[in-house]
Every structure is written in C-alpha cells, then in structure tokens.
Amino acid sequence: MIKMTAFSCRPDERQFFEEFAKMYQIELVMTDQPPSLENVDLLKGAQAACVITTPVSGALLEQWSRMGVRLVSTRTVGFEHIDCKRATERGIAVTNATYTPNTVAEYTVMTILMAIRKMKTILIRGLGQDYSLAGIRGRELKNMTVGVVGTGRIGETVAKILSGFGCRIVAYDVFQKESVRQIASYQELDKIWEMCDLITFHTPATPETFHMVNEETLAKMKDGVVLINMARGSMFDTPALIDALERGKVGAAALDVVENEGKIYYKDFKECPVPHHEMAILGAMPNVLMTPHTAFFTDEAVSDMVECAMKSCKRLESGEDDPLRVN
Ligand code: NAD
C-alpha cells in the first residue's frame, strides 16, 4: 500500500483525510507540524508528502528524495512555496489541488460589495451602538467600471457573477478567452489602470506578477480606486499601497492575502502583538478589509483539496499521468 505523510493537518481536515485514505487505500500519517528539516523522520517509508502553504525548500526536497519521496502534493491552488525546479531535478512530481472556482469568486464578490458599501465601518460602529450615517455612504456597483486582472478559473467566475450586477467589466490576461469576451472587453494593462473604479486581481504569484501594483502603476489609476486582492500578497507592493491609501489615491481595499503573511495567518495572536508592521497599519484603516487568507475555506473546497492529494498519490502508485502535475 502506498504511504503518504500529510503535514500541517488542521482539525477540520482530519475527517476528510481519514475518509479518503480508506476510500483510496492509502496508508496515512497525519501531523499538525509543518514540514521542516527537523521532522523528515515523519516521512519514513512514505512515497508522498502532502503540504499546504509552508515553504518546501530545495534542501528539504534533497532530504526527502534521499528517503524515497516521489510526490509532493500541495492542498492549495498556488504552488510557489515549493521549489519546483529542484523537485524536477530530483525526479519528484509536484501536484496542486483544484476546487470549484465559486469558492473564491463568491468571497471576492462579497468583499467587493463590503468595500464599496463601507461595511467594515458600519459593523465596527454597530458594535459601539453608533448608528449615525456620517462617512458611510457607499457606491453602486452598477455604475462602476470593474477590472478583472487574470481571467482564469476564478477571475472568469468573478466576471460572470459581476455581470449580473450590470457594471461595465474590462479584463486583462496574457491568454484571452472567448467565454470571457461575452461579458467583458479585454484591454491592455495600462488601460485597466486608467479606466477602472475597482480592480480585482486573480493571477498567480510569478516573477511577472510580483509587485504588479506599485508606485508607478498606482499613479496611473483613478483617484479613489478600490483594489481587491484575493490572489497572492506578493502581487502588491505593500508600502506603496499603504502610501496610496494614506493619500486617498486608493479609496478602499479588500485583502485576503498580504506579503509575508506566512508566519501570521492561521495562528492565534490574541495574547501577543502581531509581528507584521504593515498588517497593523492596514488593519487599522477603516477602509481596508483584511481577511486571513480564508477565501478558499468552504466545506466543499476543503474536501476537494484533501481528495486531490489522495488522487495524486493513487496515480503515483498506478503510474498514471497526473493532470494535477505542475512540474
Ligand atoms: P488559473 O490558473 O485558472 O488562472 C490564472 C490566470 O492568470 C490564467 O488565466 C493566466 O493566464 C493568468 N495569468 C498568469 N500570469 C499572468 C500575468 N502575468 N498577467 C496576466 N494574467 C496572467 O488560477 P485560478 O484558479 O483562477 O487562481 C488564481 C489565483 O488565485 C491562484 O494562482 C492563487 O494564487 C489564488 N487563490 C487564492 C485563494 C485564496 O484563498 N485567497 C484560493 C485559491 C486561489
């Protein structure tokens, strides 16, 4: 029987792991520890490692490869946390997960509406029984031009949902899709910056998308533009965003992701300061809605993420081609 070690297992995932391990006949070791050079022993006898967003470095892959690991499966869509080049050199397959794009797309549309209707302020004031109207007048989506950067699975679904609101939708992607052309007009990136009242980002973290939102591109945007990042923190230059928010250049932002979030998100900091200055500044702004990388987090997606890893493990055992392979 093929063996997999699943790292960083959360309590809410365990039931799915147990069910799918039985269904797919996989010997499973579960640990809440993230992978590290200190816990390589957890992979003893295993052919597959299952991870989430914690880094899988070249050094770790070297060690795992010596132990017989042939597959690293990440229970996430993004896979930039894995040194895929080194994995390929070591003959280790890297696979990711897929789940319905509605998970993130619905969350994106929720945060778009919350941002333009100043919901953070309304909710905070309500807790203090302040029901005044000053400063909480919002805008209607119908009258806005919305830019969708990245029209892959999630971006296209966002555009489809948004089309029901009657707003003008413009899009940018390195690959254009006919299905998106039915509801949006593709534009050059500079045009997107220039035209849009609100821009939502759905591209992967790559060298090309690194700090796509920066001092220079922010200067090209409309005054008061609303920015939505449900994709990856590295796409925004955070100090440049903070500066633009402080100047009112950016009117509001919704961020499910932020640069260097790895040591913060999914942990509880109730009893101590959060060691991330930029997050503290952004989090204190009434017009910035921050969520802790939870756009993916639904019953359906968690089940799918675990099942994807199990299926990849099974394909490794049978020698079948894996459509989820990314290296
Ligand atoms: P996808 O691969 O279907 O779509 C990505 C799109 O980006 C593709 O159409 C691709 O052509 C385009 N693209 C790539 N490089 C580009 C560039 N330089 N400029 C313009 N377009 C470019 O992926 P997806 O499933 O739609 O997911 C998109 C991203 O959302 C993921 O990469 C991941 O980082 C993020 N994500 C976040 C969460 C969350 O919980 N917040 C969950 C899932 C995914």
Side-chain angles (χ1 to χ4, degrees), residues 77 99 104 150-155 172-175 202-204 208-209 212 230-232 256-257 293 295-296:
V77 174
Y99 43 88
V104 178
T151 53
R153 295 176 75 239
I154 295 170
Y172 173 77
D173 196 301
V174 284
F175 297 106
H202 303 286
T203 44
E208 291 74 35
T209 61
M212 187 182 232
M230 298 290 127
R232 284 293 179 268
D256 189 47
V257 288
H293 204 144
F296 77 96

Side-chain angles (χ1 to χ4, degrees), residues 63-77:
Q63 190 84 341
W64 286 0
S65 144
R66 278 195 286 275
M67 297 177 71
V69 171
R70 306 264 56 88
L71 169 72
V72 176
S73 179
T74 180
R75 314 192 286 286
T76 53
V77 174

Side-chain angles (χ1 to χ4, degrees), residues 2-200:
I2 193 156
K3 183 173 173 184
M4 170 184 262
T5 299
F7 290 94
S8 315
C9 283
R10 301 184 309 268
D12 66 280
E13 292 177 305
R14 285 185 176 253
Q15 179 205 340
F16 296 117
F17 267 117
E18 279 157 11
E19 280 171 16
F20 288 122
K22 203 184 275 174
M23 184 192 298
Y24 290 107
Q25 296 278 293
I26 291 168
E27 187 185 340
L28 181 70
V29 172
M30 280 187 279
T31 173
D32 58 3
Q33 295 176 38
S36 76
L37 285 167
E38 282 70 53
N39 62 18
V40 288
D41 278 356
L42 289 168
L43 274 160
K44 219 169 180 180
Q47 295 79 37
C50 181
V51 301
I52 51 166
T53 46
T54 42
V56 178
S57 65
L60 200 52
L61 288 163
E62 292 286 340
Q63 190 84 341
W64 286 0
S65 144
R66 278 195 286 275
M67 297 177 71
V69 171
R70 306 264 56 88
L71 169 72
V72 176
S73 179
T74 180
R75 314 192 286 286
T76 53
V77 174
F79 47 87
E80 69 282 354
H81 50 288
I82 301 171
D83 186 339
C84 286
K85 188 164 170 274
R86 192 71 72 86
T88 308
E89 284 162 12
R90 282 293 175 174
I92 297 176
V94 178
T95 59
N96 70 345
T98 59
Y99 43 88
T100 150
N102 294 66
T103 303
V104 178
E106 289 176 10
Y107 199 91
T108 304
V109 175
M110 172 187 75
T111 63
I112 288 176
L113 292 169
M114 288 181 82
I116 64 174
R117 299 304 294 264
K118 308 195 178 177
M119 193 50 69
K120 180 174 172 181
T121 303
I122 293 172
L123 291 174
I124 291 172
R125 283 190 191 177
L127 292 174
Q129 303 187 49
D130 173 356
Y131 309 118
S132 59
L133 285 177
I136 55 165
R137 199 167 66 200
R139 297 171 74 181
E140 291 178 26
L141 199 46
K142 182 178 180 299
N143 301 319
M144 297 174 80
T145 298
V146 177
V148 179
V149 176
T151 53
R153 295 176 75 239
I154 295 170
E156 177 174 1
T157 310
V158 168
K160 278 187 181 149
I161 300 173
L162 287 178
S163 67
F165 285 87
C167 50
R168 179 182 185 198
I169 308 171
V170 291
Y172 173 77
D173 196 301
V174 284
F175 297 106
Q176 301 191 357
K177 285 177 171 171
E178 203 39 55
S179 50
V180 172
R181 277 208 195 90
Q182 313 294 319
I183 46 174
S185 78
Y186 278 108
Q187 303 287 340
E188 288 306 313
L189 210 42
D190 270 349
K191 273 271 173 227
I192 300 277
W193 307 146
E194 213 177 277
M195 295 167 75
C196 293
D197 301 302
L198 182 148
I199 310 172
T200 182

Side-chain angles (χ1 to χ4, degrees), residues 258-284 290 292:
V258 67
E259 280 185 300
N260 307 315
E261 68 184 39
K263 293 203 171 89
I264 313 289
Y265 285 166
Y266 311 150
K267 297 189 181 79
D268 183 352
F269 287 90
K270 260 201 309 290
E271 312 284 333
C272 53
V274 175
H276 194 310
H277 286 177
E278 289 154 345
M279 266 185 67
I281 297 168
L282 288 165
M290 293 186 86

